[in-house]
Amino acid sequence: MGADPDRGTPVFFSKPAQALCQAREIAYPPETNELHHEVELVVFLRSGGRNLEADQAQAAIFGYAIGVDLTRRDAQSAAKKQGHPWEMSKGFDQAGPVGTICPAADWQPEASMAIQLSVDGLLRQNAKLGDMLWSVPDLLVSLSRTVTLSAGDAVFTGTPAGVAELLPGQRVRGHIDGLPELGFRIAA
């Protein structure tokens, strides 16, 4: 998104519970003319805590799924320009479609695994999980320094290059090697 990924700490934001969904059709959100996709690995927690160490963070993980962080990019840009919070650009109904959760006992992320997103069959995002700036435990450790993590929390872990606009009627497919695929259509 134009920032230097080698500097600073992870950036976190919240989505309300209404954002998470497993729908096959996602409503094009109101108050936007520029909806963008960001495919991500999503971590679901079985437990939590505060000021976790890496081994505690790993033990807190229930499972993993593919997710797409949908963003009202025009609303985000306007809020940033005015110095306002931009959570509403990411925190709307159905802003976080997720696939089927795979228990951590059955699947673990590996650096060589592909993370991809295609729209109408055309590949837009294509990277390896090893390209992530921070490991899953490192993200959870960092986040637990600011907020108390809890059972049931879902943490989206960041997206590779290739973020782009989605239009009504388009079909989206998210893929991470070894996880159940995620597919949905953007409704008109």
Side-chain angles (χ1 to χ4, degrees):
M1 300 304 304
D4 181 352
D6 296 325
R7 294 178 42 190
T9 59
V11 174
F12 297 105
F13 56 88
S14 297
K15 285 183 182 277
Q18 297 85 346
L20 286 179
C21 67
Q22 290 188 313
R24 291 182 170 265
E25 187 161 280
I26 304 295
Y28 195 92
E31 306 297 323
T32 191
N33 293 313
E34 189 180 3
L35 179 67
H36 282 202
H37 61 74
E38 302 177 25
V39 68
E40 305 192 24
L41 174 65
V42 183
V43 181
F44 291 86
L45 301 183
R46 78 170 77 242
S47 63
R50 188 142 163 90
N51 296 315
L52 299 177
E53 298 298 328
D55 60 334
Q56 295 171 312
Q58 187 66 46
I61 298 170
F62 169 77
Y64 301 90
I66 301 167
V68 176
D69 173 14
L70 295 174
T71 304
R72 297 175 343 145
R73 191 69 69 206
D74 51 350
Q76 183 184 40
S77 296
K80 282 181 165 182
K81 188 180 291 183
Q82 296 174 24
H84 294 165
W86 40 267
E87 284 190 8
M88 292 310 296
S89 68
K90 291 189 170 273
F92 51 90
D93 292 353
Q94 297 185 312
V98 295
T100 302
I101 302 168
C102 186
D106 298 335
W107 186 90
Q108 286 292 311
E110 295 178 12
S112 63
M113 292 176 169
I115 179 170
Q116 301 171 323
L117 182 132
S118 61
V119 176
D120 292 337
L122 299 174
L123 193 61
R124 287 193 179 175
Q125 293 186 269
N126 184 23
K128 301 286 184 198
L129 291 180
D131 296 334
M132 292 174 61
L133 298 176
W134 297 280
S135 70
V136 169
D138 287 346
L139 284 171
L140 296 177
V141 165
S142 180
L143 185 56
S144 78
R145 302 280 184 256
T146 306
V147 298
T148 301
L149 300 177
S150 300
D153 286 350
V155 180
F156 285 62
T157 59
T159 194
V163 171
E165 187 173 7
L166 288 171
L167 300 173
Q170 290 186 313
R171 295 190 180 279
V172 178
R173 184 184 68 83
H175 171 87
I176 296 176
D177 291 344
L179 288 178
E181 291 202 349
L182 168 64
F184 59 90
R185 178 182 173 274
I186 301 296

